[in-house]
């Protein structure tokens, strides 16, 4: 499952759920694509699927803007 957020200036934030079978970790992967089209990624790991899914479901435009601001510096 994936969510995409597009800003007025063309920048985007994509977020998707993942699972690392090597260490049984539930992941949320976030990708920021700036105006320069450069990708910057971050991965957040969770111990349970419920924690990951809750974060994913609550992730909205405000969260995407916060992540984008963090990446921009």
């Amino acid at each position: 499952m994936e969510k995409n957020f597009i800003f007025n200036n063309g920048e985007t934030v994509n977020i998707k759920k993942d699972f690392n079978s090597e260490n049984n970790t539930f992941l949320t992967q976030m990708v920021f694509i700036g105006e320069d089209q450069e990708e910057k990624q971050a991965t957040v790991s969770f111990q349970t699927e419920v924690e990951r899914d809750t974060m994913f479901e609550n992730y909205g435009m405000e969260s995407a803007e916060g992540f984008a601001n963090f990446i921009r510096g």
Side-chain angles (χ1 to χ4, degrees), residues 5-13 32-37:
F5 302 91
I6 302 171
F7 302 104
N8 292 336
N9 63 359
E11 294 176 329
T12 62
V13 169
F32 171 79
I33 303 172
E35 289 179 306
D36 59 2
Q37 298 301 302

Side-chain angles (χ1 to χ4, degrees), residues 37-50:
Q37 298 301 302
E38 182 179 344
E39 282 191 17
K40 297 186 178 159
Q41 300 182 23
T43 301
V44 179
S45 62
F46 300 90
Q47 292 186 357
T48 69
E49 185 174 13
V50 171

Side-chain angles (χ1 to χ4, degrees), residues 16-20 25-29 52:
K16 70 176 187 173
K17 296 193 266 187
D18 203 355
F19 180 74
N20 182 334
T25 304
F26 297 90
L27 307 172
T28 300
Q29 297 182 344
R52 188 230 18 226

